[in-house]
Amino acid sequence: MSQSPDQPLLPSRHQVGSLRDFLHGRTYSAASVTIRLDGAPSHAAGSPLDDVSKVSDALYEVVDGLARQVLDAVFSGQPNAEARDAWVALLLIARNWRDSPDLPAELKTMVDEALPL
């Protein structure tokens, strides 16, 4: 994954979409304990389930924002350091699930080789 800062590495649209979908899936999986049936009371504010729900929502938004930044650069054909950093951040988030059988095979090496920002 090493690339000169003058030539930022950008993934394909498919890779960005696959990683975003994978991370969203993990986010939903983690938040499944917070799902309430219709009519069930809300989780108490500040409770562990409320916190899990908020963390899950935040991670979803972060992944979406980072993926959007990378996709903007991919679609424009204008690679930049910010988009590359956003891509590396997505790969670093995915490292938490690098052994997941759901991680697309084409991304396993990229996730394993991602360097901290």
Side-chain angles (χ1 to χ4, degrees):
M1 250 195 80
S2 61
Q3 189 87 359
S4 150
D6 298 339
Q7 294 286 319
L9 173 73
L10 287 181
S12 69
R13 287 179 238 176
H14 175 75
Q15 290 171 322
V16 177
S18 293
L19 189 59
R20 182 195 59 220
D21 291 348
F22 170 75
L23 291 173
H24 282 171
R26 298 295 85 209
T27 300
Y28 281 126
S29 175
S32 66
V33 298
T34 67
I35 295 173
R36 297 175 296 110
L37 299 176
D38 288 338
S42 298
H43 301 298
S47 71
L49 288 177
D50 185 48
D51 286 345
V52 168
S53 180
K54 289 176 180 171
V55 167
S56 175
D57 289 346
L59 181 58
Y60 185 93
E61 290 176 24
V62 166
V63 166
D64 228 33
L66 291 169
R68 192 173 320 113
Q69 188 172 9
V70 177
L71 283 173
D72 286 348
V74 170
F75 282 117
S76 72
Q78 302 279 329
N80 59 59
E82 292 81 14
R84 183 192 177 282
D85 289 347
W87 178 242
V88 172
L90 287 168
L91 293 171
L92 290 172
I93 292 168
R95 272 188 164 180
N96 292 288
W97 297 284
R98 69 177 164 261
D99 295 327
S100 171
D102 297 329
L103 179 63
E106 69 182 273
L107 297 175
K108 284 187 183 287
T109 301
M110 291 176 135
V111 167
D112 285 338
E113 293 178 354
L115 301 173
L117 298 175

